[in-house]
Amino acid sequence: MSKLKRLATKEDNIVVIESPITSTELSEREKDYPLLFPSDFAKKYHDLLFQPVKFHFKGQPFLIQFNRCTNLF
């Protein structure tokens, strides 16, 4: 007889994700977004765009980055 499996829920702490953006940076972005032109906003926060994300899976830390830019222009 096969074992029954279930899907993970929010209460299961299998993966812990560390956000690369602090709460103060997030509040600055929310404040600047309606005030700045899109190009000015992109220039101000371009260095934060391609940061890797750190997460812990089964107690081991991993670094992952899906997006990258090879040509800025």
Side-chain angles (χ1 to χ4, degrees):
M1 179 178 258
S2 65
K3 292 184 178 182
L4 294 176
K5 297 182 180 180
R6 67 174 181 84
L7 296 175
T9 63
K10 290 182 181 180
E11 289 78 28
D12 296 335
N13 292 329
I14 299 171
V15 177
V16 178
I17 301 171
E18 296 179 19
S19 176
I21 302 170
T22 64
S23 59
T24 56
E25 290 173 337
L26 189 59
S27 63
E28 282 184 31
R29 283 184 182 192
E30 289 175 353
K31 183 181 71 173
D32 287 343
Y33 190 74
L35 301 176
L36 297 175
F37 286 110
S39 59
D40 295 334
F41 185 84
K43 288 176 187 174
K44 185 174 180 178
Y45 295 105
H46 76 279
D47 57 334
L48 302 173
L49 184 60
F50 298 110
Q51 285 187 341
V53 175
K54 185 176 184 179
F55 68 95
H56 298 271
F57 178 67
K58 294 185 179 179
Q60 293 183 345
F62 294 94
L63 217 57
I64 190 167
Q65 181 180 7
F66 278 121
N67 52 1
R68 66 182 187 137
C69 184
T70 56
N71 185 1
L72 296 175
F73 301 100

